[in-house]
């Protein structure tokens, strides 16, 4: 079965510093990976996805993610953090069911990112 | 630009009461989903509908029923609410491109916060 793990419940970074939010995955077959962000009292918003191709994927709000097949990781990164980046971040993997046409996604438990001024 | 609309936003129920959570999307998406979000557990899939006329169980379907009323609307019903169903419920939708392995991201509503006393 497909799964993702986010080993850190919380990440604290000073504004202007680079940030990394970690994600590792376990899949059978090719991994289809996603990052979502959730602001308070809102639904999840899609940030970026990796399907195939370049290992560095660029997404919304200046975020990028690095796919590493040997380490089965898909870490979210940003070169310079903003206070407005403070939110809950979810890594997710596509759950492939051979006989289903739905795009089911399995979410990690989430990492709370806090950017201090 | 409504996207995914959920109603109500908040609800308090007594144990044993029933209610229906409504969800509608205006993006002409084929697939729709219901999740619950609990602290430290990420999002767990309750039910999904790959296309109009079909519904399938997700990870935690017990105590819930769904109806895909038409392409736009997907409702979630609690027949006899229990305190364990206190949670934030999210509806999502995604496009279904050709083939069974669509990798389109999901679009989320802002959630229904449900408390069962």
């Amino acid at each position: 079965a497909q799964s993702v793990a986010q080993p850190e419940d919380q990440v604290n970074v000073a504004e202007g510093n680079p940030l990394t939010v970690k994600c590792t995955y376990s899949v059978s077959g090719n991994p289809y990976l996603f990052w979502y962000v959730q602001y308070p009292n809102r639904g999840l918003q899609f940030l970026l996805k990796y399907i195939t191709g370049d290992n560095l994927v660029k997404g919304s709000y200046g975020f990028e993610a690095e796919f590493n097949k040997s380490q089965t990781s898909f870490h979210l990164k940003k070169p310079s953090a903003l206070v407005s980046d403070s939110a809950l971040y979810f890594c997710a993997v596509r759950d492939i069911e051979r006989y289903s046409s739905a795009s089911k996604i399995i979410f990690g438990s989430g990492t709370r990112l806090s950017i201090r001024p | 630009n409504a996207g995914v609309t959920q109603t109500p936003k908040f609800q308090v129920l007594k144990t044993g009461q029933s209610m229906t959570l409504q969800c509608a999307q205006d993006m002409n998406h084929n697939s729709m989903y219901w999740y619950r979000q609990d602290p430290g557990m990420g999002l767990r899939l309750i039910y999904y509908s790959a296309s109009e006329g079909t519904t399938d169980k997700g990870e935690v379907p017990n105590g819930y029923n769904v109806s895909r009323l038409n392409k736009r609307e997907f409702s979630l019903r609690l027949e006899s609410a229990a305190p364990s169903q206190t949670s934030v419920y999210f509806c999502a939708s995604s496009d279904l491109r050709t083939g069974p392995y669509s990798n389109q991201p999901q679009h989320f509503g802002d959630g229904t916060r449900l408390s069962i006393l």
Side-chain angles (χ1 to χ4, degrees):
Chain A
Q2 328 287 67
S3 66
V4 290
Q6 295 181 244
E8 302 157 316
D9 290 335
Q10 175 132 0
V11 171
N12 299 308
V13 177
E15 187 175 29
N17 283 0
L19 70 87
T20 299
V21 182
K22 296 179 180 178
C23 172
T24 58
Y25 65 88
S26 174
V27 302
S28 54
N30 294 323
Y32 300 133
L33 299 159
F34 304 82
W35 275 102
Y36 287 80
V37 60
Q38 185 181 29
Y39 298 102
N41 299 316
R42 300 298 302 275
L44 277 68
Q45 296 178 32
F46 169 74
L47 275 180
L48 51 81
K49 66 180 179 181
Y50 173 83
I51 306 301
T52 187
D54 290 341
N55 290 341
L56 188 64
V57 180
K58 294 190 182 298
S60 306
Y61 311 120
F63 283 93
E64 56 192 26
E66 186 172 12
F67 172 70
N68 188 316
K69 188 173 183 178
S70 62
Q71 297 185 4
T72 61
S73 66
F74 189 55
H75 299 333
L76 182 69
K77 300 183 178 185
K78 188 172 183 180
S80 179
L82 300 172
V83 172
S84 58
D85 293 330
S86 298
L88 190 57
Y89 290 80
F90 290 94
C91 184
V93 65
R94 168 76 198 282
D95 187 13
I96 297 172
E97 286 189 347
R98 187 171 300 278
Y99 302 109
S100 169
S101 57
S103 177
K104 289 167 57 181
I105 292 179
I106 296 173
F107 290 89
S109 56
T111 297
R112 189 164 299 281
L113 178 63
S114 178
I115 310 298
R116 60 183 183 276
Chain B
N1 220 13
V4 179
T5 303
Q6 291 184 236
T7 56
K9 294 187 185 305
F10 304 94
Q11 185 71 48
V12 179
L13 294 177
K14 294 181 179 178
T15 297
Q17 287 185 315
S18 62
M19 84 161 291
T20 300
L21 280 61
Q22 307 287 352
C23 175
Q25 52 92 8
D26 62 2
M27 294 171 283
N28 202 36
H29 286 167
N30 290 287
S31 300
M32 297 185 73
Y33 313 82
W34 276 105
Y35 294 91
R36 59 177 290 172
Q37 184 178 26
D38 301 293
M41 302 187 72
L43 274 75
R44 292 182 291 170
L45 183 64
I46 304 171
Y47 270 94
Y48 67 99
S49 171
S51 60
E52 186 178 355
T54 69
T55 61
D56 287 286
K57 295 179 180 180
E59 182 184 356
V60 288
N62 291 345
Y64 305 95
N65 285 300
V66 291
S67 295
R68 184 74 182 266
L69 304 172
N70 47 54
K71 191 172 185 179
R72 290 187 63 249
E73 298 172 289
F74 188 39
S75 63
L76 178 72
R77 183 162 178 84
L78 287 71
E79 290 291 352
S80 179
S84 61
Q85 294 178 305
T86 293
S87 188
V88 182
Y89 291 86
F90 288 99
C91 178
S93 69
S94 67
D95 195 7
L96 183 67
R97 300 293 170 83
T98 57
Y101 303 127
S102 169
N103 299 306
Q104 299 307 309
Q106 295 184 0
H107 298 257
F108 285 79
D110 285 337
T112 294
R113 285 146 187 83
L114 183 61
S115 293
I116 316 260
L117 304 177

